[in-house]
Amino acid sequence: PTFNLHGLHATTMGGTPCIVVNGPQSKALNSSIGALGSGCRTNATIGRALKLVLLNVGGAVCGGSESTTLGTPMKFTMCIAENEDSLRQEWRPLSVERGYNENETIVTVIPVTCGPIQLVDFFTKDANTLISLMAQSLHSVYNAEMPFINDCTIVISPEHLDTLIQGGISSKRQFQTCLWHKCNVIFLSSYIPAVR
C-alpha cells in the first residue's frame, strides 16, 4: 500500500514513521520490558537507520521538506516488535491481520504524530473500566478539535492484555470495536456542548 511519507513530513504536527516488526526476525528486537524505551540497540538502530535515509536520501531536513513545529523524540528513532508470544486466543499479530503468514518477517510502517501516552493503572481489574480509561487517554488525539486524525496506534502491556481477555475481550477486533464506541461516547459528550 501507499505510504504518504511527504505528507507525514510536511505536516507541522510532528509526524514520523513508526516501524513495527512481526515474524521470526522480530525475535532479535525487544518486544518485552521497556519495548518503547532506549534499552535495545537493535530497535534503536533500525529506527535510526530509517530516519537517516529519510534525511540523507529523501531530503527530510527540518525547516525544509520536514515542517514540524515542535517535533518529537520519536523522530530520532521509533521501532518496535510485537510480542507475538504473549498473544492468546484470537489476538492475531498485526502482520497476520494484514494478510501475511505468521512465519514471514513483515515490517509495517505506521504514521504517528504524538505519544507514547502511557496509561498507568494498578487498580483496574475489569475490561470495561480498562477500555474506558484507554478511551479517556485517547481523547486528546481523537476529538472534535482534531477532526483529521482518525487512526491511533495502541500498544497494550501484557498485564492489560490479561485483564481484557479475562473480561471477555477475545480478539483485537472486539477490543477495537469496544474502544471505538467508548471514544465516541467521550467525543460526543465533549463535542455537542461545544457546538451549542
Side-chain angles (χ1 to χ4, degrees):
T2 303
F3 185 86
N4 186 1
L5 185 58
H6 173 73
L8 183 63
H9 277 278
T11 181
T12 58
M13 294 169 37
T16 194
C18 170
I19 302 167
V20 180
V21 182
N22 286 98
Q25 295 301 317
S26 70
K27 306 292 186 221
L29 283 80
N30 181 15
S31 65
S32 185
I33 296 172
L36 297 176
S38 60
C40 182
R41 182 177 289 178
T42 309
N43 295 45
T45 300
I46 293 170
R48 188 64 186 143
L50 174 63
K51 293 304 295 180
L52 289 173
V53 168
L54 295 175
L55 175 69
N56 295 314
V57 177
V61 178
C62 239
S65 63
E66 185 169 328
S67 305
T68 184
T69 302
L70 295 176
T72 171
M74 293 185 303
K75 283 189 169 285
F76 186 75
T77 181
M78 187 61 188
C79 176
I80 60 175
E82 188 169 14
N83 188 344
E84 297 173 14
D85 294 337
S86 72
L87 299 177
R88 294 177 283 290
Q89 297 178 6
E90 295 303 313
W91 288 74
R92 306 304 333 144
L94 175 64
S95 57
V96 173
E97 289 180 332
R98 296 183 61 232
Y100 297 96
N101 295 320
E102 285 189 37
N103 59 354
E104 293 180 275
T105 296
I106 302 297
V107 175
T108 304
V109 181
I110 302 170
V112 294
T113 58
C114 69
I117 300 169
Q118 295 192 36
L119 174 60
V120 180
D121 174 63
F122 303 106
F123 304 107
T124 301
K125 301 295 181 204
D126 68 282
N128 188 51
T129 303
L130 181 59
I131 294 171
S132 293
L133 291 171
M134 289 178 177
Q136 290 170 14
S137 293
L138 286 173
H139 178 65
S140 65
V141 294
Y142 184 75
N143 65 55
E145 287 77 34
M146 307 256 315
F148 301 113
I149 308 264
N150 294 309
D151 295 324
C152 297
T153 301
I154 298 174
V155 179
I156 300 174
S157 70
E159 296 87 357
H160 286 165
L161 180 60
D162 288 342
T163 300
L164 292 169
I165 290 173
Q166 290 167 8
I169 306 297
S170 60
S171 69
K172 279 186 186 179
R173 178 62 59 203
Q174 184 183 5
F175 167 72
Q176 291 165 339
T177 301
C178 291
L179 184 61
W180 185 83
H181 284 294
K182 297 272 188 190
C183 284
N184 280 313
V185 168
I186 294 170
F187 173 80
L188 289 175
S189 68
S190 66
Y191 181 70
I192 290 173
V195 296
R196 288 186 180 167

